[in-house]
Amino acid sequence: MKKRERLGSRLGFIMLSAGCAIGCGNVWKFPWMCGEYGGGSFMVMYFLFLLILGLPVLTMEFSVGRAAQSSPVHMYQKLQKPGGKWGLFGYVCLLGNIALMAFYCVVSGWILYYFYKFAVGDTASLGFVSMIQNPKINVISLFITVAAAFIILSFNLQSGLERITKVMMITLMILMCVLAVHSLSLPGAKEGLKFYLVPDFSKISLKTAVGAMNQAFFTLSVGMGSMAIFGSYIDKKCRLTTEALNVILLDTMVAVIAGLIMFPACFTYGVEVNSGPSLLFDTMATVFGNMAMGRWWGMLFFLFMVFAAMSTVLGVCENILAMVREMTGWDRPKGCIVCAVMIFTLGLTTALGFSVIHFEPFAPGSSWLDFWDFIVSTNILPLGSLLLALFCCNDAGWGWDHFVTEANEGKGMKVKEWMKPLFRCVVPIVIAFVYIYGLFTFKWH
């Protein structure tokens, strides 16, 4: 049996896991959802769900991956009791990761295109709607994103993915701090911070809770094995609650600072903060267009976004590659070629969904992007997290004792016995309730 690849250091594990979590969910989706749901009110719910749901589920996902020493497609099969059917969910994990990349690589391509336009100083014609309706721009940007990811992944784990992610994450942190300091010096910073950080509790509703929970799962990439794969690449020197907390803190820091960059700028230049998915593109392009040295600040901002987006693309594509390789026995180069073709082909639905391949799955104006996002964010992430909690905490699955033994191996924070009701009852009940409510209130028509 071929020896399993290993990460070279604990720092590499934290950077890879956090990199997979940090991405468009933090710096594209988080700010516009925060703007739509009332700023500080959404922040309160988001932090609450990260603590009571995100930390337990991420700890469980790392534990299952490290114990199984395999990719998500086989980890449930390895740990389930004889005769169990949990292994079927491994294939749902594969589907979820592929569906995520079917739209995520396209969004990453949009960010890459905006970075290019700011770098060359050609921003006069930039527009979110005109960009997404241009087939050539979308297909080329998608191709570059997918090709770059799988070229990096074709090398072995330490010299390819781990080395590149460390450089990207360190650069991302530096760029993020520079941009935040600049944004906080703007005249409208006080009003922006008030909207962003001061909660209006009258705006907290079940709809806010649904959005906050889905965002917590989306930003952490939990529920479909995206994090479990990194658990399978590490040793047992550190307890997994500690590692999960480190990843959540790093992920949350990036999300919060992304808001610190955007909202002061929005209030300074009088642009809408509740403009939805176009907030990152049209709104921020307008901000930089009005700013002194706007071209260079815009270039730095979208370079930061490129690194954030690509860290997730690399992490999820590594997960897909690992699952495909386990099922086929292929080496990295061959697996990379097949996976790249598959993801690029599916991604064309989103890339051409605003111009050539029209599809309105839900309300008028919805698209392929909404369809893939519905599969991943609204269904697989919460349902996957629910199943993971049931699997780890009940005798019909892996079982509480096995989970705690694995999670507490090494040094660091322990999963304590008093936490059992939280992991076993509170987590699945809250997820199930908010998931069902979300389906009833979803904009189907």
Side-chain angles (χ1 to χ4, degrees):
M1 182 178 176
K2 189 177 179 180
K3 187 178 179 181
R4 187 160 188 81
E5 291 180 285
R6 284 275 182 265
L7 293 170
S9 65
R10 184 186 177 202
L11 176 63
F13 164 73
I14 293 172
M15 288 295 191
L16 274 173
S17 301
C20 185
I22 294 165
C24 294
N26 300 75
V27 288
W28 170 59
K29 196 172 182 181
F30 176 79
W32 69 254
M33 287 192 73
C34 194
E36 281 195 348
Y37 287 104
S41 310
F42 179 82
M43 292 276 282
V44 169
M45 298 300 294
Y46 175 70
F47 289 142
L48 185 63
F49 279 120
L50 279 178
L51 182 63
I52 65 172
L53 299 181
L55 182 60
V57 175
L58 185 55
T59 302
M60 287 186 264
E61 190 156 314
F62 280 153
S63 299
V64 170
R66 192 170 72 174
Q69 287 293 291
S70 67
S71 76
V73 79
H74 286 152
M75 65 187 186
Y76 288 98
Q77 293 176 9
K78 284 194 172 185
L79 300 180
Q80 70 183 6
K81 292 180 172 59
K85 302 296 182 184
W86 296 91
L88 295 173
F89 183 64
Y91 298 98
V92 178
C93 290
L94 176 59
L95 171 65
N97 281 270
I98 293 171
L100 175 60
M101 288 297 98
F103 74 90
Y104 200 100
C105 286
V106 177
V107 176
S108 300
W110 295 343
I111 294 167
L112 186 64
Y113 177 73
Y114 263 65
F115 165 69
Y116 165 76
K117 297 296 275 187
F118 271 95
V120 300
D122 182 18
T123 59
S125 60
L126 268 181
F128 182 69
V129 173
S130 60
M131 175 186 67
I132 65 176
Q133 292 179 346
N134 188 316
K136 183 177 178 181
I137 291 173
N138 278 264
V139 173
I140 292 174
S141 300
L142 170 64
F143 178 81
I144 293 172
T145 301
V146 174
F150 282 101
I151 287 172
I152 293 169
L153 294 178
S154 65
F155 296 94
N156 68 49
L157 190 64
Q158 291 185 25
S159 62
L161 179 61
E162 184 174 0
R163 178 179 295 178
I164 294 295
T165 302
K166 281 181 182 178
V167 173
M168 285 201 308
M169 290 295 292
I170 292 169
T171 307
L172 185 151
M173 299 296 175
I174 295 171
L175 288 172
M176 183 176 62
C177 291
V178 171
L179 287 163
V181 169
H182 176 263
S183 193
L184 290 172
S185 69
L186 295 173
K190 184 177 179 180
E191 290 77 12
L193 291 177
K194 183 178 179 181
F195 168 81
Y196 182 44
L197 299 177
V198 179
D200 179 355
F201 291 102
S202 66
K203 293 183 179 180
I204 294 179
S205 63
L206 278 175
K207 187 177 180 182
T208 308
V210 171
M213 186 192 78
N214 287 342
Q215 176 60 19
F217 289 144
F218 185 88
T219 191
L220 291 178
S221 301
V222 291
M224 57 183 188
S226 296
M227 289 302 191
I229 190 65
F230 300 120
S232 76
Y233 289 151
I234 58 169
D235 54 37
K236 303 200 177 196
K237 293 180 181 178
C238 294
R239 289 175 181 147
L240 294 173
T241 307
T242 300
E243 305 295 42
L245 185 61
N246 287 333
V247 171
I248 287 174
L249 289 174
L250 199 54
D251 176 77
T252 304
M253 181 183 73
V254 172
V256 170
I257 295 179
L260 294 180
I261 294 170
M262 290 191 191
F263 290 114
C266 289
F267 276 81
T268 296
Y269 296 102
V271 294
E272 292 293 329
V273 297
N274 60 347
S275 54
S278 66
L279 174 63
L280 174 67
F281 298 98
D282 279 348
T283 304
M284 293 309 294
T286 301
V287 165
F288 294 123
N290 288 290
M291 187 183 292
M293 297 180 65
R295 171 192 168 186
W296 302 108
W297 286 113
M299 185 183 73
L300 284 178
F301 175 78
F302 284 104
L303 178 61
F304 152 64
M305 283 296 309
V306 167
F307 285 140
M310 286 304 298
S311 65
T312 299
V313 170
L314 286 168
V316 177
C317 285
E318 168 64 23
N319 201 19
I320 295 169
L321 177 63
M323 287 188 271
V324 169
R325 289 181 64 203
E326 277 193 10
M327 290 189 295
T328 61
W330 293 339
D331 58 15
R332 272 190 174 267
K334 183 176 181 180
C336 282
I337 292 171
V338 174
C339 290
V341 171
M342 173 178 61
I343 291 172
F344 176 75
T345 303
L346 276 179
L348 287 175
T349 58
T350 304
L352 301 176
F354 301 95
S355 55
V356 178
I357 311 175
H358 292 288
F359 175 49
E360 291 189 343
F362 310 117
S366 60
S367 64
W368 274 103
L369 189 152
D370 299 295
F371 172 74
W372 294 119
D373 187 42
F374 173 76
I375 290 176
V376 177
S377 302
T378 308
N379 289 282
I380 291 181
L381 290 178
L383 285 178
S385 298
L386 175 61
L387 286 171
L388 183 64
L390 295 174
F391 179 72
C392 287
C393 300
N394 291 277
D395 292 337
W398 189 27
W400 173 258
D401 291 339
H402 289 106
F403 157 63
V404 171
T405 300
E406 182 62 44
N408 289 345
E409 187 85 22
K411 297 180 180 179
M413 291 174 55
K414 281 187 174 184
V415 176
K416 302 290 182 95
E417 192 62 28
W418 65 262
M419 298 178 182
K420 188 174 182 179
L422 171 65
F423 282 66
R424 191 173 192 176
C425 301
V426 175
V427 169
I429 289 172
V430 173
I431 293 173
F433 174 78
V434 179
Y435 170 70
I436 293 169
Y437 179 83
L439 286 182
F440 274 106
T441 57
F442 186 79
K443 294 179 181 178
W444 298 99
H445 301 292

